[in-house]
Amino acid sequence: MALSFQEAEGCALIWKFIDGVQQTYQSVMGAPDDGLSDDLAIDMPASIQLPPADIRTLHELEMTIRNLSQSPAGRDALAKTIMNEDYISKLIPLVDIAEDLESLQDLHRLCNIMKTILLLNDTAIIEHAVSDECVYGVVGALEYDPDFPSHKANHRQWLKNQGRYKEVVRIQDDQVRRKIHQTYRLQYLKDVVLARILDDPTFSVLNSLIFFNQVDIVQHLHNTPGFLKDLFAIFHDPNEQPLRKKEAVLFIQQCCAIAKNLQPPARQALYTHFLSQGLLPVINFGLRHLDVSVRVGATDILVSMIDHDPSLVRLTIYEQIQRHSLPLTDTLIDLLLVEVDLGIKSQISDALKVLLDPTPPGAPPQEAREFMVGQARLRAQQGIEPQQDLFLTHFYEHSARRLFKPLLDLEKRTEMKFSPLEDGIFSYLNDILCFYIRQHQHRSKFFVLTNNLAQRFVQLLACKEKHLQLVAIRFFRQLVVLQDEFYYKHMADQKVLGPILDVLLRTMPRDNLLCSACLELFMLINKENVKELIKHMVENYREKIMALSYMDTFNEILNRYDQTQGFTASVDPYFESEDELGRRPMHGNAVGLRGEQLAIDQAQEEYLNTSDDDEDENIATANRGMGVLNHSLATNGGSAASKPLVEYNSDDDEELDEEASNGLVEADTVMTPADTASRLSNGDSESDSAKENKAPSTPTTITSAAAAAAAAAAAAATVTPPERLAEKRRREEDEDDDALNKLTQHKRRNSSGSVGSVGSNKSTSSSNANTGSSPRKLKLAGYTADETRARGGGRSSRTASPNGTNNTALGQGQRHGHPKKIAISIAPSVKTAATTGGKGSQLGGQTQGQTTQAKAQTQAQTQADGGGGGGGGGGGEQ
Amino acid sequence: MSDLDRAIAQLRACRPIPEAEVRQLCHKARELLIEEGNVVTVNAPVTICGDIHGQFHDLMELFRVGGDVPDTNYLFMGDFVDRGFYSLESFLLLLCLKVRYPDRMTLIRGNHESRQITTVYGFYDECLRKYGSANVWRYCCDVFDYLALGAIVLGASNTLPSSSGQPAASPPADEVEIEVHNAHGHVISRFLRPKETKGDGTGGARTASPNGGLSNGVSSDSSSGSGSGSASSSAPANTGPPGSGASGSSGGSVGNPAGAVLCVHGGLSPLIDMVDKIRLLDRKQEVPHEGAMCDLLWSDPDEIDGWGLSPRGAGFLFGADIVKVFNHRNDLSLIARAHQLVMEGFKEMFDASIVTVWSAPNYCYRCGNVAALLELSEDESGLGVLARSNGEVNRSDGGVGPRGVLMENDLMGARSGPARRYRVFQAAPQDSRGMPAKKPVADYFL
């Protein structure tokens, strides 16, 4: 047992303990013997006595409970006592009594007591509270919130309304039915009753309870023989009431929503089961339904199924094609063109993209599809399933013209005036078309060419609505981004740039969105140095460009042309290299990677899991992170040497592989970098650093190691801003934690200060705290990434990756009902970050000779030991 | 238009408007916003507000403290949605007001005005609950894409107009640089412009004082500096920001007295060295994960030199030197931004060259912070307007001397930006708002 006098709670606890021992001695006669046993210290407060639940002693009770809930031990004891004595049930009658007495004060007290009890964050208590026996009493007490003395909520009324529960097919099992109700109550508790006061641990407890219940329920339905049969029979029965059919669709929709959280095999089984029972006809039925909510439901079902596994749906469509019946895609297309509901529209447009994504099966599922556009393109070249190929051929032969009909029809139009319904479709069509152009190389090329779509978009440029003009500009931008000579030539042939220049000249004095979009397009052409287009532009529209040449972009365009005299073949080495820099971001297309971390969901984990053959997500993350490295180097405009980066990429992988297989990246160490960091910097407990999270904008924590830290910082010539990663759901400050992880994976790479951490990359995951937490200065002036630096950057991508693991680990932790509050507070302040950085590099120097097989923990130990004089180490190392 | 007024009235009562009306509204808003540049030009007087985060009742309180809409010219710096329980009503009301009074209302985009963020932080769920489908969320997200990325305030005065709450024995208006008011319009504290003779040392100290002064001076009614008339008197009580002394050219050059004020949600970007570069972005897109547009919405100022990595994972941290160079190059006197919770409602940094304004009191219904508005008044002399330029160098000093010798020139003059009046307010009283809670799911099958 560790004694801590640092905090008032701790002191009070110890004092209580001593006091308790004394009392036991004094009343030796009456007290039971175990008062002196060894485990007394641990569950000392377990012997707490709560005042009897009585309306007269409520005040006392409230005080006791509040006091006990202040300390962790007290909370444990309180939770135990409440469950053991079934205290909640004793409190419930008091609510009625107090209501009868109209004693508002007592009701407020009861509310406070109940709040405290629920926020004890004990799974058993919460489950008990939503049980049939207790729930109305509990929410009844919570109706009288002292924070809103003049209000009374109507939770009981809401929950008692049994009509909210719709039972489409009778669920025989009582227990499951009860569970359904309880889940709903838990949700209500989370969203309404406790919404304002929920803390993070309780929130995650509620969430995990809900999650497990839902999984149980869906599994039960799935495994109950005949249940799904009965369910789908509703659709087959012609005499069935329309309302019941509607509800059945919504029921399936909810099932699918829950299924998203299931483990992949279970989900697969469920969907297969659904499909075998005839899910597709149901979707077909739903999509054509007059009621918009049914259509929404059906699209939802379809989308969640596509999200799960598009090949499943494709297979069915393929069969439909074989049978010469109307394929699902055509149904979707028809619906897209006539649908008024925007939500359905955009979901269908997404679905059409995914279904026609020629990704080979076995590749990552499509959840992250938005982000993987760049990679998908690479994959597309790896070869397409013959079946998928057939499907695509069929699509371009039959369906494509149907889909893009509104665009094609423009040809016959003379007047560019659209009804609101009409003009909404173009942006969707453009989105889809852009996606197809990226994904279906030659087919889409042929389609664009034969139908002369470029001219159609030029027509759009002429219409009055600015957002339609924007759509057209976006299309041409996409063509430029593709860097395809064919499209360049097409754009030149079709003379599309002239009308865009006209749009620009027309809007130029206004400085609006349209004008910015045009400028951006021309900047892109200039930056990419698309000689074909530049030549075309200058030769055909010289006056227009001259009129705009007061802007650098157009001036440069003119110069570029004049320098080469229109000889596109001439290769200027200077331009070439610049070209490369400019183009890399397009190829790397790493944009999405950062985004993936924005929403941490299971889908993403899966993606990570499946993208590599072993269980090590790190590689994937690091791998893909490299793209960002290139990108950010390039975009920062420095004269970064790009070659080494690519080399180190592979280099890195091997190391990683090795490490991973050696099991060096131990979950434990990874889980608590905060711990490590704080241990390294000073002896403070981690709770300290967690507390310090509160004020990110004013990092003034002066730790005991501050002096050493300053020295280290100076030595490493690195100014490190404070950085904290804390996994909290709702934090006091406006940090968006979802985005936090991205940081560790990407931006770090272009940091000049990583020199200091190069040494430390031989050390293992414990030093992640260093590299992970010492963000480097990104000074543009001194931004010449030499090889060393690039190396450092490359390596740090590895060190960053455990944070990815961290995520997954955390997510699973929550799912398995261990809602530990894991604060990944890597560095409590500037100073500590610098210190650890310095130490890390010093250590790296010392242990460079060691093999990478050294155990992480050993190293952590070494690091901690050798940390004392870490000041000067950082600088001398390189 | 009566439809719109009715919608405004309904939203003011915190009742959502029907989906069809939302669609119309978003349509109109789109037409309006597409005409706005990436950086909107706004003329003083203007009241600048920070994050709202769906705290509808506090938004009402904000309008109460700052004045109602057509009367006061408002500029909201993004983050209207998420976290609070009334994102929908808050955003729709602001949008309605924008459509109704386009010249009196400026909305710029915050990092939460994005599809990805809103799906995680509550706006999506809220729309789903309140309408039963995500359509309204989609309409709103479409509007988000059209929102401007920043604003430039021109013609802000260097003197504060007298206000009703001002005590009789107050220093001359032209000496006051910062005034902090409480919600009732009473002056809590007042900070004077430094005397010209003062050198560098007080620069950092003085500008740090509004916040320091506020935190311990809320109870004291009169300003700490009013007695002596010199800012140095308040200096000993507060130490300046640690970075300010070390950053080389000693704070002197920050803030051109006649410059404009740039408003942006997050901060600066390494890719943007001129305000005009912002105009070259194609903003109609989801907030990207990197690049200039992302940085503008995600970055934070920090006590560092140069650029640093942001712990948020998007955007950057930038130090005083960056702000200094940027402000000088673009002839700005001040950057106003939001994006970070500050317990005092506002926080000036780097010799008052950048200020964070936060307008969500008791953030997340439990942070216990106060909120603030920043009022910039109109220069009524008629001279200042001419002198201010919109990112154009060499015109704003009114022919006093060549711009290049910035050091000597600006050190002598008032270093600080326009006169600023902060109105600090607290969360709306609990009773006025009913219990904040999410709308429960109505029906359930499972």
Side-chain angles (χ1 to χ4, degrees):
Chain A
M1 175 181 169
L3 290 183
S4 166
F5 295 98
Q6 204 168 7
E7 283 164 12
E9 292 171 14
C11 294
L13 207 70
I14 289 161
W15 175 246
K16 255 192 207 159
F17 172 63
I18 295 171
D19 200 39
V21 171
Q22 279 175 345
Q23 277 174 8
T24 331
Y25 269 117
Q26 277 157 12
S27 56
V28 148
M29 301 302 124
D33 279 349
D34 63 56
L36 280 174
S37 67
D38 277 349
D39 59 346
L40 173 71
I42 296 132
D43 55 10
M44 169 272 306
S47 56
I48 51 159
Q49 281 293 322
L50 287 176
D54 190 291
I55 197 87
R56 282 156 301 185
T57 56
L58 272 182
H59 177 65
E60 196 188 328
L61 181 65
E62 188 189 353
M63 291 299 290
T64 318
I65 288 188
R66 186 188 295 154
N67 286 336
L68 279 169
S69 70
Q70 300 294 321
S71 72
R75 292 165 69 92
D76 280 355
L78 188 59
K80 264 185 210 150
T81 314
I82 285 170
M83 275 319 280
N84 289 341
E85 300 183 10
D86 196 9
Y87 213 78
I88 294 181
S89 308
K90 291 179 189 164
L91 284 174
I92 284 169
L94 299 187
V95 180
D96 287 336
I97 297 173
E99 274 185 331
D100 288 344
L101 293 173
E102 293 183 11
S103 164
L104 201 59
Q105 204 187 7
D106 286 330
L107 286 167
H108 284 165
R109 279 191 189 127
L110 276 167
C111 178
N112 279 338
I113 292 168
M114 208 56 94
K115 267 192 212 166
T116 320
I117 290 177
L118 287 178
L119 292 181
L120 282 177
N121 193 18
D122 186 286
T123 318
I125 290 183
I126 292 175
E127 273 188 321
H128 185 55
V130 294
S131 64
D132 292 347
E133 306 83 54
C134 291
V135 66
Y136 297 118
V138 170
V139 297
L142 291 168
E143 283 178 4
Y144 300 90
D145 196 325
D147 292 345
F148 301 90
S150 61
H151 285 69
K152 175 189 168 299
N154 55 352
H155 302 320
R156 275 174 291 190
Q157 195 192 337
W158 180 274
L159 285 180
K160 273 182 180 159
N161 182 352
Q162 292 295 337
R164 300 197 185 284
Y165 173 58
K166 313 263 194 257
E167 196 165 45
V168 183
V169 176
R170 178 76 186 162
I171 293 170
Q172 301 296 341
D173 193 326
D174 279 347
Q175 217 177 344
V176 172
R177 258 210 322 276
R178 218 175 296 139
K179 211 166 228 170
I180 292 174
H181 292 303
Q182 280 177 15
T183 313
Y184 182 71
R185 288 170 200 152
L186 284 169
Q187 246 157 356
Y188 186 78
L189 215 56
K190 185 185 83 169
D191 291 340
V192 181
V193 183
L194 300 176
R196 200 173 47 83
I197 54 167
L198 266 187
D199 53 9
D200 296 324
T202 318
F203 184 82
S204 48
V205 162
L206 284 173
N207 266 344
S208 63
L209 278 175
I210 291 170
F211 169 75
F212 284 116
N213 278 349
Q214 286 182 332
V215 170
D216 283 355
I217 294 165
V218 170
Q219 289 291 21
H220 171 83
L221 299 185
H222 177 46
N223 296 328
T224 308
F227 182 85
L228 288 183
K229 199 158 173 272
D230 292 349
L231 178 66
F232 281 93
I234 295 173
F235 298 100
H236 302 316
D237 185 355
N239 301 325
E240 192 56 71
Q241 298 207 337
L243 180 69
R244 185 137 185 261
K245 281 189 176 176
K246 172 186 166 178
E247 285 182 347
V249 173
L250 299 183
F251 178 88
I252 299 172
Q253 182 194 2
Q254 212 175 357
C255 273
C256 290
I258 294 172
K260 277 182 190 153
N261 298 324
L262 293 178
Q263 294 294 314
R267 199 182 341 153
Q268 175 75 35
L270 183 71
Y271 279 123
T272 319
H273 200 163
F274 273 168
L275 281 173
S276 68
Q277 294 289 343
L279 184 61
L280 277 184
V282 172
I283 293 175
N284 243 327
F285 159 83
L287 286 177
R288 292 155 193 277
H289 205 276
L290 286 177
D291 188 333
V292 78
S293 65
V294 179
R295 288 206 304 274
V296 170
T299 355
D300 252 11
I301 297 170
L302 178 67
V303 167
S304 54
M305 198 162 58
I306 291 175
D307 278 348
H308 166 64
D309 185 5
S311 61
L312 217 65
V313 185
R314 276 193 213 119
L315 201 70
T316 327
I317 297 176
Y318 180 68
E319 279 164 14
Q320 285 174 327
I321 294 173
Q322 297 297 84
R323 273 185 278 120
H324 297 289
S325 59
L326 190 71
L328 179 69
T329 32
D330 284 12
T331 317
L332 289 176
I333 288 168
D334 293 346
L335 192 59
L336 176 72
L337 297 185
V338 297
E339 179 60 63
V340 283
D341 187 286
L342 244 152
I344 298 179
K345 245 185 169 133
S346 75
Q347 277 187 311
I348 291 178
S349 116
D350 279 352
L352 280 174
K353 284 187 215 164
V354 179
L355 285 176
L356 285 151
D357 186 0
T359 316
Q366 294 304 316
E367 280 92 334
R369 60 181 179 277
E370 259 190 277
F371 310 126
M372 292 169 21
V373 169
Q375 291 160 346
R377 193 172 152 206
L378 290 175
R379 257 183 276 117
Q381 287 146 9
Q382 293 164 9
I384 301 169
E385 273 275 287
Q387 193 178 306
Q388 174 75 355
D389 200 52
L390 233 136
F391 177 31
L392 279 179
T393 313
H394 183 271
F395 176 82
Y396 276 102
E397 273 169 14
H398 300 95
S399 311
R401 289 190 61 87
R402 190 181 191 137
L403 173 61
F404 296 108
K405 191 164 181 296
L407 260 178
L408 302 176
D409 284 351
L410 286 178
E411 194 177 359
K412 284 168 265 167
R413 265 190 200 244
T414 45
E415 204 185 10
M416 287 293 138
K417 269 196 170 167
F418 303 101
S419 69
L421 188 66
E422 282 175 311
D423 81 357
I425 194 73
F426 289 114
S427 77
Y428 289 107
L429 291 182
N430 179 44
D431 273 1
I432 298 174
L433 185 59
C434 285
F435 181 82
Y436 289 173
I437 287 177
R438 282 193 302 264
Q439 301 296 88
H440 313 146
Q441 322 265 330
H442 60 279
R443 283 198 184 82
S444 57
K445 219 175 258 180
F446 183 72
F447 183 75
V448 170
L449 189 71
T450 47
N451 293 297
N452 201 358
L453 285 178
Q455 270 315 313
R456 304 289 84 78
F457 280 104
V458 170
Q459 277 182 292
L460 279 185
L461 281 176
C463 71
K464 242 179 76 188
E465 282 88 355
K466 291 224 164 64
H467 64 267
L468 291 181
Q469 299 179 29
L470 257 180
V471 166
I473 290 168
R474 312 211 121 229
F475 174 74
F476 293 123
R477 188 179 187 281
Q478 176 65 50
L479 293 189
V480 174
V481 166
L482 281 176
Q483 301 178 349
D484 186 325
E485 292 295 330
F486 172 84
Y487 282 123
Y488 290 156
K489 203 165 163 320
H490 186 57
M491 281 174 77
D493 289 348
Q494 297 295 326
K495 298 191 174 20
V496 299
L497 291 175
I500 300 180
L501 278 171
D502 289 339
V503 171
L504 181 59
L505 285 166
R506 206 159 60 218
T507 51
M508 203 44 207
R510 299 288 294 275
D511 179 26
N512 60 21
L513 183 48
L514 200 54
C515 155
S516 295
C518 292
L519 282 175
E520 211 258 358
L521 176 67
F522 288 111
M523 260 171 57
L524 185 72
I525 293 176
N526 183 36
K527 205 178 87 196
E528 299 274 300
N529 196 8
V530 185
K531 299 191 177 70
E532 189 98 27
L533 291 179
I534 289 178
K535 178 167 175 251
H536 163 74
M537 254 160 79
V538 181
E539 279 174 358
N540 289 287
Y541 315 107
R542 198 175 186 106
E543 299 90 74
K544 287 176 189 171
I545 297 174
M546 290 293 268
L548 293 163
S549 63
Y550 61 91
M551 278 180 283
D552 288 349
T553 307
F554 292 96
N555 205 12
E556 270 172 45
I557 288 179
L558 277 177
N559 283 340
R560 274 183 201 271
Y561 177 78
D562 291 346
Q563 273 167 11
T564 58
Q565 292 300 318
F567 289 112
T568 49
S570 87
V571 177
D572 185 333
Y574 171 70
F575 279 137
E576 212 48 42
S577 62
E578 202 180 60
D579 244 0
E580 288 220 337
L581 280 175
R583 286 180 185 208
R584 183 152 291 114
M586 305 296 173
H587 289 305
N589 211 338
V591 181
L593 302 177
R594 296 177 66 191
E596 271 185 274
Q597 273 83 36
L598 272 179
I600 306 156
D601 58 1
Q602 201 198 5
Q604 178 197 332
E605 283 165 34
E606 269 173 40
Y607 168 63
L608 291 174
N609 281 329
T610 47
S611 67
D612 255 273
D613 32 0
D614 58 7
E615 77 291 348
D616 182 28
E617 296 99 328
N618 304 351
I619 297 175
T621 329
N623 244 341
R624 293 174 306 134
M626 289 309 293
V628 182
L629 170 56
N630 292 346
H631 187 150
S632 40
L633 279 173
T635 45
N636 279 311
S639 54
S642 48
K643 275 182 189 164
L645 300 180
V646 182
E647 278 176 28
Y648 281 105
N649 183 12
S650 57
D651 188 78
D652 225 50
D653 282 358
E654 285 164 22
E655 267 189 36
L656 261 175
D657 221 339
E658 200 177 314
E659 269 190 37
S661 54
N662 286 329
L664 282 184
V665 188
E666 287 182 33
D668 264 2
T669 357
V670 178
M671 287 287 276
T672 55
D675 206 345
T676 332
S678 56
R679 230 185 303 141
L680 284 174
S681 57
N682 52 9
D684 273 357
S685 68
E686 70 180 315
S687 63
D688 260 10
S689 57
K691 271 185 194 165
E692 282 157 16
N693 280 335
K694 278 192 174 171
S697 51
T698 55
T700 51
T701 339
I702 311 293
T703 64
S704 57
T718 273
V719 181
T720 46
E723 184 173 323
R724 296 184 185 93
L725 305 185
E727 191 68 38
K728 293 176 81 178
R729 185 184 63 86
R730 265 192 335 218
R731 20 179 41 207
E732 280 82 18
E733 65 269 31
D734 183 35
E735 281 183 29
D736 294 302
D737 25 0
D738 52 350
L740 287 182
N741 309 292
K742 301 183 301 180
L743 141 94
T744 31
Q745 315 211 349
H746 306 296
K747 286 219 172 155
R748 163 155 317 109
R749 259 151 236 119
N750 47 15
S751 53
S752 55
S754 46
V755 176
S757 64
V758 173
S760 66
N761 59 35
K762 286 275 187 258
S763 66
T764 40
S765 56
S766 64
S767 70
N768 291 332
N770 315 335
T771 35
S773 66
S774 51
R776 274 121 217 146
K777 194 167 63 168
L778 215 177
K779 205 159 193 172
L780 290 180
Y783 198 77
T784 47
D786 52 3
E787 211 194 308
T788 339
R789 223 164 265 174
R791 176 186 268 264
R795 294 291 168 81
S796 61
S797 73
R798 175 189 66 80
T799 47
S801 47
N803 269 313
T805 328
N806 209 346
N807 267 337
T808 27
L810 184 72
Q812 281 160 0
Q814 283 182 340
R815 210 165 305 132
H816 291 107
H818 304 300
K820 261 192 280 183
K821 187 167 161 185
I822 303 165
I824 318 171
S825 159
I826 287 190
S829 75
V830 185
K831 313 274 154 70
T832 32
T835 333
T836 46
K839 286 175 196 164
S841 44
Q842 192 210 26
L843 183 82
Q846 288 170 351
T847 57
Q848 212 134 39
Q850 292 182 10
T851 55
T852 42
Q853 273 88 358
K855 281 270 184 276
Q857 278 161 346
T858 340
Q859 290 236 347
Q861 194 56 46
T862 335
Q863 213 166 8
D865 292 343
E877 206 235 309
Q878 287 297 320
Chain B
M1 272 302 121
S2 64
D3 272 359
L4 196 52
D5 285 333
R6 199 178 38 73
I8 291 175
Q10 189 173 340
L11 284 168
R12 273 180 196 277
C14 200
R15 276 179 292 130
I17 53 176
E19 188 177 318
E21 283 183 37
V22 179
R23 189 164 64 188
Q24 277 183 355
L25 173 70
C26 290
H27 240 78
K28 279 182 200 152
R30 191 177 67 181
E31 302 293 304
L32 248 149
L33 292 170
I34 206 169
E35 293 294 346
E36 288 188 347
N38 291 350
V39 183
V40 192
T41 307
V42 179
N43 287 312
V46 64
T47 299
I48 299 170
C49 316
D51 294 21
I52 300 298
H53 278 303
Q55 298 182 199
F56 180 83
H57 299 92
D58 299 323
L59 177 64
M60 292 287 110
E61 183 73 3
L62 182 152
F63 284 137
R64 196 183 66 73
V65 171
D68 220 332
V69 167
D71 308 329
T72 308
N73 184 15
Y74 277 104
L75 195 166
F76 284 86
M77 296 192 289
D79 278 13
F80 316 111
V81 296
D82 282 346
R83 302 204 192 249
F85 299 142
Y86 304 97
S87 295
L88 182 82
E89 291 85 351
S90 308
F91 178 65
L92 288 183
L93 177 61
L94 290 173
L95 204 62
C96 269
L97 293 171
K98 170 74 190 170
V99 173
R100 179 74 178 81
Y101 310 103
D103 300 333
R104 304 297 285 170
M105 194 76 176
T106 308
L107 306 178
I108 63 180
R109 193 170 188 177
N111 61 319
H112 277 264
E113 273 69 59
S114 123
R115 287 170 187 79
Q116 284 196 1
I117 298 287
T118 45
T119 33
V120 180
Y121 288 95
F123 183 49
Y124 175 83
D125 284 343
E126 191 184 319
C127 291
L128 206 59
R129 275 167 216 277
K130 286 180 178 163
Y131 290 95
S133 81
N135 285 353
V136 167
W137 173 77
R138 290 198 173 87
Y139 300 143
C140 291
C141 285
D142 281 348
V143 174
F144 292 163
D145 284 346
Y146 285 91
L147 287 173
L149 303 178
I152 286 263
V153 180
L154 300 178
S157 167
N158 284 338
T159 56
L160 286 171
S162 59
S163 67
S164 52
Q166 210 159 330
S170 60
D174 56 347
E175 280 179 28
V176 180
E177 183 184 353
I178 305 171
E179 227 175 53
V180 183
H181 290 238
N182 64 12
H184 308 290
H186 301 305
V187 178
I188 304 171
S189 53
R190 190 175 278 137
F191 299 91
L192 304 186
R193 289 187 188 277
K195 289 285 191 268
E196 291 182 4
T197 49
K198 275 292 161 194
D200 308 330
T202 53
R206 180 189 55 80
T207 46
S209 52
N211 287 306
L214 186 67
S215 53
N216 55 21
V218 177
S219 53
S220 74
D221 190 45
S222 74
S223 77
S224 53
S226 65
S228 65
S230 160
S232 58
S233 66
S234 65
N238 307 285
T239 50
S244 63
S247 58
S249 57
S250 67
S253 58
V254 181
N256 302 303
V261 178
L262 175 70
C263 303
V264 64
H265 178 73
L268 302 178
S269 164
L271 299 171
I272 301 278
D273 55 348
M274 302 287 285
V275 172
D276 275 348
K277 288 242 172 99
I278 304 178
R279 297 179 208 273
L280 298 180
L281 301 171
D282 182 7
R283 72 168 189 261
K284 202 221 150 246
Q285 52 173 330
E286 171 80 345
V287 181
H289 305 299
E290 57 196 332
M293 183 169 158
C294 160
D295 297 340
L296 290 170
L297 270 54
W298 279 91
S299 295
D300 297 304
D302 197 8
E303 306 287 353
I304 55 169
D305 281 342
W307 297 95
L309 289 168
S310 169
R312 295 176 191 264
F316 290 90
L317 299 176
F318 52 96
D321 48 345
I322 303 290
V323 178
K324 193 180 294 177
V325 169
F326 186 86
N327 282 6
H328 172 239
R329 189 179 287 148
N330 292 285
D331 208 4
L332 300 171
S333 59
L334 180 71
I335 296 175
R337 44 91 62 176
H339 197 42
Q340 275 175 313
L341 171 66
V342 270
M343 295 304 283
E344 297 84 10
F346 70 96
K347 181 183 179 188
E348 298 196 344
M349 289 174 80
F350 308 154
D351 299 348
S353 59
I354 187 164
V355 59
T356 303
V357 181
W358 182 265
S359 303
N362 195 20
Y363 180 43
C364 290
Y365 305 110
R366 60 199 176 121
C367 283
N369 60 297
V370 295
L373 306 171
L374 166 57
E375 289 183 0
L376 298 178
S377 50
E378 184 181 11
D379 192 338
E380 281 159 355
S381 66
L383 297 171
V385 180
L386 278 178
R388 283 173 210 288
S389 72
N390 180 8
E392 276 181 84
V393 189
N394 285 339
R395 234 175 52 184
S396 65
D397 51 0
V400 171
R403 260 282 137 181
V405 283
L406 160 103
M407 291 303 192
E408 283 106 316
N409 237 357
D410 286 356
L411 263 181
M412 300 308 290
R415 297 199 292 290
S416 38
R420 313 182 277 291
R421 176 176 289 146
Y422 294 101
R423 290 189 192 276
V424 174
F425 62 99
Q426 300 196 327
Q430 300 270 28
D431 265 1
S432 77
R433 56 162 84 174
M435 291 196 199
K438 300 175 190 168
K439 196 167 173 254
V441 183
D443 298 334
Y444 61 110
F445 299 92
L446 288 176

